[in-house]
Amino acid sequence: MFKVDEKEKEAVVLYYEKNHWSITLKRMLRDWRLYVMLIPLILVFFFWKYLPMYGLTLSFKNYDSGLGILGSDFIGLAGFKFLVSDPTFWRAFRNTFMLAFYGLLFGFPIPIILALLFSEVKNKGYRSFLQVATYLPKFVSIVVITSLVTLLCTKKTDVYQGGLITQLLAALKLIPEGTDLLKSPQYFRAIYQISGIWEGAGYGSIVYFAAVLAISPTSYEAAKMDGASKWAQIINVTLPGMASTITIMLILDIGKLFTIGYEKVYLLYQQETWETADIVATYVMRHSGMASDGIVDQLSKAIAASADLLNAVIAMLLVVGSNIIARRVSDTSLY
């Protein structure tokens, strides 16, 4: 058996410690093309991710457009104190969590199931057609998506038979005749989630389908030789082979629990559905442009920034927590 000389090992380690930066520089010069390609990505992250963090200081200032952020008066935690005592914020917080939780509960498994179904379609042309058909909604404008949802869920009137979804649910006796789905608070979350799954499930299945293709065919052949059925192959070969990808995507999705954008909600909500439709993003948007009397007028920017900062901190804690749990229960984690 080959035996490593401890003195030689120490000499190599010492050499690399002394010449670490020169060795790193030589490697960078050798692979300079890769680092040049990295520059646009660094710039994007700097200007669109890191530079906007400067605006978070608005959480602690009474913003005056004439003085700018630096010149505005420091007000400490006044914005956060207002949030704690504002019932509309906690309603928005609850609605954000509920929408995100239902999206994770029902929306997360669908792309995995789609990827498994795609992998079982042997005709490549037919499979490609199905994949493109499920990807397309992701590339359609959110305005178009919400317009389609509005048309499908329009209520029946004297001159209009109602949207297709409304007619179908009424025919199945699931809703009363004349129900306006878009103006019923109890249906808003279902409409939001179902349309979201239709929009993003196909596109989300891409990474899982790639994970399925990466599984060695010999594993399936060995399972067949052991008499495993198709279902047994999925349980014992496919899903374990996708486990690392599923874990990483689950951690990322948990981190997005409180980062629901306002666009779709804003385009779908009605005055009657505000009780279940108002989320943190719309709360921030509303306070960012609020011009009313009293404390809200004075602290509107601080309140909006405080709500956004609180949302971001909770999202970060969720990512860190889920990553710690994943690292302890499995060999896969983000870091």
Side-chain angles (χ1 to χ4, degrees):
M1 185 176 179
F2 180 74
K3 189 175 181 179
V4 178
D5 189 346
E6 291 297 329
K7 291 184 178 180
E8 291 182 359
K9 182 179 178 180
E10 290 179 4
V12 172
V13 171
L14 185 61
Y15 172 79
Y16 272 94
E17 287 179 351
K18 288 184 176 180
N19 301 277
H20 171 73
W21 292 110
S22 60
I23 293 172
T24 303
L25 182 60
K26 288 179 182 178
R27 288 176 178 174
M28 292 179 67
L29 291 174
R30 182 188 63 193
D31 301 322
W32 65 271
R33 296 172 184 83
L34 296 177
Y35 289 97
V36 170
M37 294 173 64
L38 190 62
I39 291 175
L41 181 62
I42 293 174
L43 292 176
V44 167
F45 266 83
F46 176 74
F47 287 109
W48 275 272
K49 298 296 182 181
Y50 289 96
L51 198 59
M53 289 184 184
Y54 172 66
L56 292 176
T57 56
L58 284 174
S59 303
F60 311 99
K61 293 197 172 187
N62 186 10
Y63 180 69
D64 187 332
S65 58
L67 299 175
I69 296 178
L70 288 177
S72 299
D73 296 332
F74 181 77
I75 58 172
L77 300 177
F80 293 96
K81 290 178 180 177
F82 181 87
L83 290 180
V84 172
S85 60
D86 185 12
T88 59
F89 169 74
W90 292 112
R91 182 187 63 187
F93 186 84
R94 183 186 68 247
N95 291 338
T96 302
F97 176 78
M98 295 303 296
L99 282 178
F101 177 74
Y102 288 144
L104 185 66
L105 182 64
F106 299 108
F108 183 76
I110 301 300
I112 301 174
I113 296 171
L114 267 180
L116 294 175
L117 294 176
F118 288 150
S119 67
E120 296 301 321
V121 179
K122 304 306 178 185
N123 188 306
K124 292 185 178 181
Y126 181 54
R127 184 174 66 194
S128 298
F129 170 78
L130 292 176
Q131 287 177 307
V132 171
T134 56
Y135 299 164
L136 279 178
K138 185 65 177 179
F139 300 98
V140 177
S141 168
I142 190 65
V143 177
V144 176
I145 295 291
T146 53
S147 298
L148 288 173
V149 171
T150 302
L151 290 173
L152 291 172
C153 298
T154 304
K155 74 171 184 177
K156 182 179 179 180
T157 62
D158 295 335
V159 296
Y160 183 61
Q161 291 297 317
L164 181 61
I165 301 298
T166 304
Q167 294 183 50
L168 179 61
L169 294 177
L172 295 174
K173 306 298 182 182
L174 296 177
I175 60 172
E177 285 285 346
T179 300
D180 193 338
L181 295 176
L182 294 174
K183 291 186 177 182
S184 302
Q186 66 270 29
Y187 298 127
F188 177 82
R189 289 170 183 163
I191 293 172
Y192 184 93
Q193 296 302 338
I194 293 172
S195 60
I197 291 172
W198 170 70
E199 178 189 359
Y203 187 78
S205 69
I206 294 175
V207 64
Y208 300 111
F209 183 67
V212 173
L213 295 181
I215 300 173
S216 175
T218 57
S219 300
Y220 292 103
E221 293 173 4
K224 289 179 182 178
M225 292 179 64
D226 290 338
S229 62
K230 179 60 67 176
W231 179 249
Q233 292 175 39
I234 293 174
I235 297 297
N236 298 291
V237 178
T238 308
L239 290 180
M242 299 170 64
S244 59
T245 302
I246 293 174
T247 302
I248 295 297
M249 297 304 294
L250 180 59
I251 293 172
L252 294 175
D253 283 356
I254 289 175
K256 298 175 184 176
L257 274 178
F258 288 94
T259 55
I260 297 177
Y262 72 91
E263 298 90 349
K264 186 177 177 182
V265 173
Y266 190 75
L267 291 168
L268 280 178
Y269 86 84
Q270 305 285 335
Q271 186 176 0
E272 293 82 359
T273 61
W274 196 243
E275 181 183 346
T276 55
D278 188 24
I279 60 174
V280 172
T282 54
Y283 180 89
V284 170
M285 182 188 69
R286 189 166 64 252
H287 279 278
S288 296
M290 183 172 287
S292 59
D293 296 329
I295 188 172
V296 176
D297 181 33
Q298 297 174 3
L299 303 179
S300 59
K301 296 289 192 268
I303 293 168
S306 300
D308 211 14
L309 178 58
L310 182 62
N311 211 30
V313 170
I314 292 174
M316 182 193 70
L317 293 176
L318 285 172
V319 170
V320 173
S322 58
N323 188 74
I324 292 173
I325 294 172
R327 190 167 62 242
R328 289 184 177 180
V329 302
S330 68
D331 296 328
T332 304
S333 61
L334 280 174
Y335 53 88

